[in-house]
């Protein structure tokens, strides 16, 4: 069946180009730009992405700031701070939880995460979050209750029980940090904010979240999973079952007594919210959200964080864009193909290149150690990338863009990009 731009009421197959445009539209890359991004712009963008992944790497900009920039353009980062804090007049809009991985999510998702919190409580200690002494948990919780917002460092000395363990991936965590993170996972405390050093500030959940969220009824595990799949489908536009499960890190296949994405998909298909479709080149069954639209064109120009929802599931990025992508932070330098912190470059509806970037804040320069072009990239790629790098540098408060300096510089786009920036 042929597909036209606009609404997609009766579709059973899509080309890869159509699926790509639907996906980018669902992620907000066809929304009308606001000349000065406002809180309304931010809320619209988060409605598209669903969550903003949080990561501590700060070689360029913290991960949760970048998807907003990629869709909104240069914005005042204080907007995000305000959305995370809230006041008596304007309650908090976003809160951190383990929604995809550690992520900022709309506060109304909190009740949907309660089944996950109970799972963590039942599996206490399985992931190395809990302290070796269970008696510390009520004492640490009482300290948070009495003192108000605290970091793990604030409680470290008081609740230390000896040298820190190096037996698992939480090797450098104090006992206070382990307990606080366990209490966070089970919902007894919440993230009230972060310090300038990116340390988590914890407080009692009832002092962090709006009362309306705390008082909301708790859905059954399957009801929660179905709602999360519904939201994932909106954010994806079109997706396989594995894509839908990955968005909020859900169980795909049914298991006795467990909620599953497959059950949710079947229910949403039966209700008409999801439409089974075939996508050119995809082996698995795909599902189109009934509100998805096929844009006539996508006029995007954006650098995407490695933690952007468009590319965070690498198999999906390859299926949609023919773009093989791996983050190489943990790869030894001599074995990296493209660099340490590499951002795909989205131009129109294609990923046409990738750049290794670093913000040298002392020198007030955006460094580009590596730049690579994808096969079939259009002739305007270099000029458009140069313009986007200038825009990114301005947003980051950097004065210059420096391309290809140093012994580790690499990439078939470096020379042309340097010349374009000089022009």
């Amino acid at each position: 069946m042929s597909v036209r731009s606009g609404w997609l009421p009766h579709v059973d197959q899509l080309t890869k180009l159509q699926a790509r445009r639907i996906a980018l539209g669902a992620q907000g890359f066809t929304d009308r730009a606001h000349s000065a991004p406002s809180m309304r712009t931010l809320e619209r963008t988060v409605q598209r992405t669903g969550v903003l992944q949080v990561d501590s790497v700060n070689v360029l900009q913290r991960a949760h700031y970048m998807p907003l920039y990629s869709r909104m353009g240069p914005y005042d980062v204080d907007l995000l701070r305000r959305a995370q804090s809230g006041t008596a007049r304007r309650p908090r809009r976003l809160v951190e939880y383990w929604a995809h991985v550690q992520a900022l999510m709309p506060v109304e998702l909190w009740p949907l995460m309660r089944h996950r919190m109970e799972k963590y409580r039942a599996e206490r200690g399985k992931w190395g979050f809990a302290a070796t002494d269970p008696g510390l948990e009520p004492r640490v919780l009482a300290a948070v209750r009495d003192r108000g917002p605290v970091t793990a460092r604030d409680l470290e000395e008081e609740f230390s029980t000896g040298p820190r363990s190096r037996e698992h991936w939480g090797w450098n965590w104090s006992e206070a940090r382990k307990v606080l993170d366990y209490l966070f996972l089970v919902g007894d405390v919440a993230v009230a904010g972060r310090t300038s050093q990116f340390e988590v500030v914890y407080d009692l959940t009832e002092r962090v979240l709006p009362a309306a969220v705390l008082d909301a009824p708790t859905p059954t595990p399957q009801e929660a999973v179905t709602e999360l799949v519904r939201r994932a489908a909106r954010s994806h536009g079109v997706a396989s079952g594995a894509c839908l499960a990955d968005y909020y890190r859900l169980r795909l296949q049914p298991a006795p007594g467990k909620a599953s994405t497959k059950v949710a998909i079947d229910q949403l298909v039966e209700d008409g919210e999801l439409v089974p479709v075939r996508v050119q080149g995809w082996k698995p069954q795909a599902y189109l959200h009934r509100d998805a639209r096929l844009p006539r064109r996508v006029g995007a120009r954006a650098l995407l964080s490695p933690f952007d929802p468009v590319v965070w599931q690498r198999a999906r990025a390859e299926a949609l864009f023919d773009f093989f992508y791996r983050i190489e932070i943990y790869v030894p330098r001599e074995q990296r193909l493209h660099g340490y912190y590499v951002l795909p470059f989205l131009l129109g509806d294609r990923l046409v290149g990738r750049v290794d970037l670093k913000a040298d804040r002392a020198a007030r320069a955006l460094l580009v150690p590596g730049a690579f072009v994808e096969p079939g990239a259009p002739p305007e790629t270099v000029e458009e990338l140069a313009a986007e790098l200038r825009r990114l540098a301005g947003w980051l408060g950097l004065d210059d863009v420096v391309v290809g300096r140093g012994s580790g510089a690499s990439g078939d786009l470096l020379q042309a990009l340097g010349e374009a920036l000089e022009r």
Side-chain angles (χ1 to χ4, degrees):
M1 180 180 297
S2 63
V3 183
R4 297 180 297 173
S5 298
W7 296 108
L8 301 165
H10 304 293
V11 175
D12 54 22
Q13 57 187 356
L14 297 167
T15 67
K16 185 178 292 188
L17 173 61
Q18 290 168 338
R20 193 160 64 235
R21 289 181 175 174
I22 290 167
L24 290 171
Q27 279 288 315
F29 286 100
T30 58
D31 288 345
R32 187 183 299 275
H34 292 173
S35 56
S38 63
M39 186 62 74
R40 178 184 173 192
T41 321
L42 185 147
E43 289 179 328
R44 180 186 69 180
T45 303
V46 174
Q47 285 176 358
R48 305 294 193 205
T49 65
V51 293
L52 300 170
Q53 184 171 337
V54 175
D55 189 84
S56 61
V57 176
N58 195 28
V59 66
L60 180 69
Q61 174 60 292
R62 301 287 188 193
H64 51 295
Y65 291 103
M66 281 301 299
L68 296 172
Y69 168 79
S70 300
R71 292 153 179 78
M72 294 162 46
Y75 71 99
D76 181 356
V77 296
D78 191 58
L79 287 173
L80 188 53
R81 183 198 62 78
R82 286 163 46 200
Q84 294 177 76
S85 56
T87 64
R89 291 181 58 191
R90 289 185 172 271
R92 180 188 302 264
R93 297 170 173 84
L94 301 175
V95 68
E96 285 190 43
Y97 191 65
W98 206 256
H100 172 70
V101 289
Q102 186 88 0
L104 283 165
M105 65 180 191
V107 292
E108 65 264 21
L109 264 64
W110 190 267
L112 301 179
M113 296 296 159
R114 287 178 182 147
H115 71 291
R116 189 166 292 181
M117 296 170 190
E118 290 309 310
K119 174 177 178 288
Y120 286 131
R121 196 181 297 275
E123 295 176 348
R124 181 191 176 279
K126 179 178 179 180
W127 310 108
F129 287 106
T132 53
D133 178 8
L136 285 178
E137 291 162 18
R139 292 169 54 205
V140 170
L141 186 59
V144 176
R145 181 179 295 109
D146 294 342
R147 301 178 197 184
V150 295
T151 67
R153 191 185 302 272
D154 294 333
L155 303 181
E156 183 174 324
E157 184 175 348
E158 179 178 351
F159 293 100
S160 175
T161 58
R164 296 186 185 183
S165 170
R166 296 176 182 266
E167 295 175 358
H168 51 72
W169 67 273
W171 61 272
N172 200 31
W173 285 3
S174 66
E175 291 296 290
R177 170 68 190 272
K178 291 179 187 178
V179 173
L180 285 167
D181 263 37
Y182 171 74
L183 295 173
F184 160 72
L185 284 176
V186 301
D188 291 343
V189 302
V191 176
R194 287 182 180 263
T195 69
S196 58
Q197 290 77 40
F198 209 59
E199 291 179 286
V200 175
V201 178
Y202 304 87
D203 201 356
L204 295 182
T205 301
E206 57 263 34
R207 295 200 292 238
V208 171
L209 291 170
V213 172
L214 296 170
D215 295 340
T218 300
T220 68
Q222 187 59 58
E223 287 171 344
V225 168
T226 300
E227 177 59 25
L228 291 172
V229 171
R230 177 183 289 113
R231 288 171 178 259
R234 288 198 202 106
S235 292
H236 270 322
V238 60
S240 68
C243 295
L244 295 174
D246 179 74
Y247 213 86
Y248 291 99
R249 295 295 168 92
L250 303 169
R251 178 190 297 272
L252 178 58
Q253 295 299 333
K258 303 288 186 180
S260 81
T261 299
K262 181 65 170 63
V263 171
I265 290 172
D266 291 345
Q267 182 62 55
L268 293 172
V269 168
E270 183 179 339
D271 294 345
E273 291 189 58
L274 293 184
V275 180
V277 294
R278 289 291 175 185
V279 176
Q280 176 191 14
W282 290 22
K283 290 183 179 180
Q285 176 70 61
Y287 301 91
L288 180 72
H289 192 272
R290 68 181 176 193
D291 295 335
R293 300 198 68 173
L294 172 59
R296 189 176 300 277
R297 62 182 294 273
V298 178
R301 189 191 77 189
L303 287 161
L304 304 180
S305 158
F307 306 104
D308 192 288
V310 171
V311 295
W312 71 27
Q313 193 188 27
R314 309 311 190 203
R316 176 178 170 84
E318 192 166 0
L320 277 174
F321 297 95
D322 296 317
F323 188 83
F324 181 82
Y325 181 49
R326 298 293 184 272
I327 189 168
E328 298 180 275
I329 290 174
Y330 304 108
V331 175
R333 181 173 181 174
E334 64 276 6
Q335 296 178 23
R336 292 175 192 148
L337 297 177
H338 299 105
Y340 180 79
Y341 200 75
V342 176
L343 284 75
F345 180 46
L346 175 67
L347 187 62
D349 55 31
R350 296 171 57 196
L351 294 176
V352 298
R354 60 188 92 199
V355 283
D356 186 17
L357 297 180
K358 178 180 180 179
D360 186 339
R361 296 173 179 88
R364 298 184 63 82
L366 177 61
L367 307 184
V368 190
F372 305 82
V373 68
E374 290 297 297
E380 64 270 21
T381 294
V382 174
E383 296 292 341
E384 293 288 355
L385 177 56
E388 182 55 34
L389 289 170
R390 286 287 186 199
R391 185 172 78 146
L392 175 62
W395 177 61
L396 294 174
L398 306 174
D399 299 330
D400 200 6
V401 181
V402 179
V403 176
R405 289 185 187 172
S407 59
S410 63
D412 50 13
L413 207 56
L414 277 183
Q415 182 176 345
L417 182 60
E419 293 170 355
L421 285 161
E422 289 178 5
R423 288 195 294 272

